[in-house]
Amino acid sequence: MMMKMKQSILSLHLLSSTASAWNVGPSPSIRQQNQVLSKRSAVAIPLDIPTSVENDVFKTEITTPKSTLDPEDAWITNLDYEAFRNDVNALGKELLQETGEADVQHLNKIVQWRDIAGAVGLATVWISPNPVTVAALSTWIYSSWTMIGHHVCHGGYNRVDAGKFKSRNFALGVVNRVKDWLDAMLPEAWNVEHNRLHHYRLSESKDPDLVQRNLEFLRSSPLPMPAKYAVVAFFLPIWKWFYYSPNTYKELKISEWNKEGRELPKDFNPEEAATIVSLLDPSRAGLRQVVNPVQFFIEALGPLLLARFIAIPAMLALIPGVGGSLALNALINLVLADFLTNIHAFITIVTNHAGEDLYTFDDCVKPKTGSFYVRQIVASANYAAGSDAVDFSHGWLNYQIEHHVWPDLSMLQYQRAAPKLKAICEKHGVPYIQESVFERLRKTVDIMIGKTTMREFPTEYEPPKDKTTTVTWTSTNGAIDG
């Protein structure tokens, strides 16, 4: 009996720890340096580090003697970073020059597919819970984020006449959010957390989406492996609203505090994840001072809850006689669709940058340098790709390598870029990982539960001129101004 009681207490403790430590994107602390927020700017332009910024530790890392490499890393010693950069830049310019009306037509087709899924789901939402309705609603939600909202917010269609699909004002404000991209994340907050911090500190200690670090509580847990798998499975259907929404919102608030020159509360740890549970914990005074829980629920989750989970069932409830049962059917279908789209997004998003064959880094490099391009490639993984149907099912997240090298391209240009960038990598001996999404899921879960560990990149082999300590910004969104 005592042993069972101890096991129960341990399980509850771990679930409680999970609630406060679950990370698919925790918050870096360096945003206190030189971040400028402008909700009306079209794209964010990362600038070179000011010459006045110094870091003795950083300098020491540059001058550290080069380590002996494992055989798997031998390619690093032979890499000509400048030649690689020139080839990648040349391809990027070629892709930008090709961007035109074909990209708009392709976007319109993907939007149409999204709208068809939404129409099927909403037209049948009143029917008893069924897989067709749930799948259609889930596809509508998923594609609105991963394909349309994602690429538009990065500025992928800023160079063409794509109507409202420009990063400026897209989904910003309550009205535009409901019309353009209604999800658990506040778009302004996601633009800061994802477009800035993740894209330009990929797999570094300051990357908010570094899975290996974020799941350290589970990796080092004494739980048996089956229980660790169960913890991961528990969070699959809820991770977006439970963790990603409050934590992206926290990043936005930190950025706003920094812009205003306000000092963060002494009892607030910006590295610690914000979750629904931690926001509701009265003992977390510092966190609740930076992220007002009521404001979060009103601004981030409120529009989604009202428009999708209350308004739609409420309209059906007005039908005389059968309204109550139809409204209940709709609510169940919508909730199941949300669970499914969370699982779908987890499988195709969280797995992009985790696995024992991908690298982590211990310092920062400048955007558009040879080192930057190498990092984006060897810390990312692609999936099966090449046709619109296959790419749509992956949310266009199967071009993660190309997307991280050139964040502001269109979906069509990523299709065109992939074989050409792969050829450049083969020419220079840079690893280019492309596998089934389910194989990447297995490798990601292995990282999460501590079965495997990611490779550490020997950053002392990178050119010193590529190094920096941070990046400054001129706006909210995350594309590099081409």
Side-chain angles (χ1 to χ4, degrees), residues 143-210:
S143 54
S144 295
W145 175 21
T146 63
M147 285 169 271
I148 299 169
H150 186 190
H151 295 96
V152 171
C153 287
H154 271 295
Y157 298 93
N158 283 2
R159 300 177 181 87
V160 294
D161 185 10
K164 72 174 183 177
F165 298 107
K166 308 278 188 178
S167 59
R168 185 188 300 275
N169 294 330
F170 183 82
L172 301 183
V174 175
V175 175
N176 286 338
R177 183 180 176 191
V178 173
K179 292 191 305 181
D180 298 339
W181 171 30
L182 182 62
D183 212 313
M185 298 79 62
L186 184 69
E188 295 92 327
W190 188 73
N191 285 335
V192 171
E193 188 273 349
H194 174 82
N195 293 5
R196 292 184 184 184
L197 301 173
H198 169 61
H199 264 268
Y200 298 106
R201 302 303 301 266
L202 178 64
S203 290
E204 300 170 14
S205 61
K206 303 303 182 182
D207 179 3
D209 295 341
L210 184 54

Side-chain angles (χ1 to χ4, degrees), residues 198-431:
H198 169 61
H199 264 268
Y200 298 106
R201 302 303 301 266
L202 178 64
S203 290
E204 300 170 14
S205 61
K206 303 303 182 182
D207 179 3
D209 295 341
L210 184 54
V211 173
Q212 179 170 281
R213 182 204 58 232
N214 299 341
L215 272 293
E216 183 56 37
F217 76 97
L218 186 60
R219 287 170 55 83
S220 59
S221 164
L223 277 177
M225 283 298 176
K228 290 187 177 184
Y229 282 114
V231 171
V232 174
F234 174 79
F235 282 100
L236 256 64
I238 63 173
W239 72 275
K240 193 164 54 173
W241 60 263
F242 177 84
Y243 164 75
Y244 208 37
S245 178
N247 208 60
T248 53
Y249 190 81
K250 181 195 69 175
E251 300 293 351
L252 174 65
K253 292 303 167 184
I254 291 175
S255 181
E256 290 177 351
W257 276 54
N258 292 334
K259 177 190 173 183
E260 297 166 2
R262 301 171 64 186
E263 184 178 351
L264 294 172
K266 288 184 172 54
D267 58 345
F268 170 66
N269 179 9
E271 300 288 343
E272 193 171 358
T275 67
I276 294 293
V277 170
S278 61
L279 287 183
L280 296 177
D281 183 356
S283 68
R284 307 290 291 276
L287 171 63
R288 288 161 62 91
Q289 183 179 349
V290 176
V291 184
N292 183 288
V294 175
Q295 186 180 13
F296 162 72
F297 279 102
I298 292 175
E299 293 186 359
L301 293 183
L304 173 67
L305 295 175
L306 287 172
R308 185 173 300 160
F309 297 104
I310 296 178
I312 294 175
M315 288 187 289
L316 292 169
L318 297 176
I319 300 176
V322 296
S325 61
L326 298 184
L328 181 60
N329 289 341
L331 181 60
I332 295 174
N333 279 321
L334 289 164
V335 170
L336 291 176
D338 191 73
F339 288 163
L340 180 58
T341 197
N342 269 272
I343 295 172
H344 191 181
F346 184 96
I347 292 173
T348 55
I349 293 175
V350 180
T351 56
N352 287 148
H353 307 289
E356 72 274 17
D357 50 355
L358 299 181
Y359 289 86
T360 60
F361 312 93
D362 60 9
D363 61 12
C364 181
V365 294
K366 301 173 186 176
K368 289 189 175 182
T369 60
S371 299
F372 175 82
Y373 290 141
V374 169
R375 290 187 178 199
Q376 307 315 300
I377 294 166
V378 301
S380 304
N382 280 9
Y383 316 136
S387 69
D388 284 346
V390 170
D391 298 343
F392 188 90
S393 68
H394 290 88
W396 247 265
L397 296 156
N398 47 345
Y399 296 102
Q400 196 66 193
I401 292 174
E402 290 72 27
H403 177 58
H404 267 262
V405 172
W406 305 290
D408 56 342
L409 290 183
S410 71
M411 289 181 279
L412 179 61
Q413 293 305 323
Y414 290 130
Q415 284 182 337
R416 295 173 175 175
K420 297 179 180 180
L421 181 58
K422 186 174 184 179
I424 292 175
C425 291
E426 291 175 353
K427 171 185 173 182
H428 292 273
V430 176

